[in-house]
Amino acid sequence: MSAEELAVDPLTAAQRLLGAILWSGPVGARIVEVEAYGGDPAGPWHDPAAHSGRGRTPRNAVMFGPPGHLYCYLSYGMHTCVNIISGPDGVASGVLLRAAEIVAGHETVRGRRPGARTEADLAKGPGNLGSALGIGLADYGTDVFDPGSPIRLELGRPIDPARIAAGPRVGVSSEADRPWRVWLPDSPAVSTYRRSPRAPRIDESA
């Protein structure tokens, strides 16, 4: 189990992360929904919707590798979204963690997410996942395969592709219909699909 398993194309990396356990201190979360993103025009997976879609900047530098590091950013100025970098070193790509099932540290998570109505809601949605795990901007660049890291990733066996669903991405105005959001449909923690109002209507994007 190493970062080299994520040194692949974005969609393959996204599928590989399903079912993995992300540990942050005492909290463990089983990843059940993710979204893949590519990179800049010079790379093999140009993706205008990615933060790296226009090239390297100080903000997105970690997206260019090596794989297995965290890219954290604020959504709407308050919610930390957590991405795990994928692809070969030097090639930008990453996977946004959209939802997870809490498998350890429930009391800690309930203290962080007092408004969650059910267990399934504790880490449903990317901002809630970041809050549940206590991950913030200070964790940018963390190596999740370093045994001494406070945030660690445990990859299990690959999920059978027949158990994985795929569909359009959430919250992006460009390339919204690229089927790079993948999830485990048998999990109640998977978030509800909400198409960005800035994205073309489905009948316009055909």
Side-chain angles (χ1 to χ4, degrees), residues 185-199:
D186 58 350
S187 172
V190 172
S191 66
T192 302
Y193 173 67
R194 291 185 175 87
R195 189 177 183 83
S196 168
R198 297 175 288 114

Side-chain angles (χ1 to χ4, degrees), residues 93-120:
S93 66
V95 180
L96 171 66
L97 307 185
R98 287 200 52 84
E101 299 170 350
I102 301 303
V103 297
H106 290 82
E107 290 304 317
T108 298
V109 175
R110 289 190 194 99
R112 293 169 175 166
R113 296 271 299 121
R117 293 174 298 174
T118 68
E119 291 285 311

Side-chain angles (χ1 to χ4, degrees), residues 55-153:
R56 186 191 296 261
T57 68
R59 179 196 187 198
N60 67 27
V62 73
M63 290 191 72
F64 288 79
H69 291 250
L70 292 185
Y71 171 50
C72 307
Y73 65 88
L74 284 183
S75 175
Y76 299 106
M78 54 182 175
H79 302 296
T80 300
C81 292
V82 182
N83 300 255
I84 295 180
I85 299 311
S86 58
D89 193 8
V91 178
S93 66
V95 180
L96 171 66
L97 307 185
R98 287 200 52 84
E101 299 170 350
I102 301 303
V103 297
H106 290 82
E107 290 304 317
T108 298
V109 175
R110 289 190 194 99
R112 293 169 175 166
R113 296 271 299 121
R117 293 174 298 174
T118 68
E119 291 285 311
D121 292 328
L122 288 171
K124 178 184 289 188
N128 293 334
L129 185 151
S131 296
L133 288 165
I135 295 176
L137 295 183
D139 297 306
Y140 178 104
T142 298
D143 181 353
V144 297
F145 287 99
D146 180 350
S149 172
I151 303 171
R152 306 171 312 285
L153 183 70

Side-chain angles (χ1 to χ4, degrees), residues 7-10 37-40 42-48 86-88 91-93 178 180:
V8 292
D9 67 272
Y37 286 90
D40 62 300
W45 311 298
H46 182 217
D47 186 355
S86 58
V91 178
S93 66
R178 192 179 292 196
W180 279 11

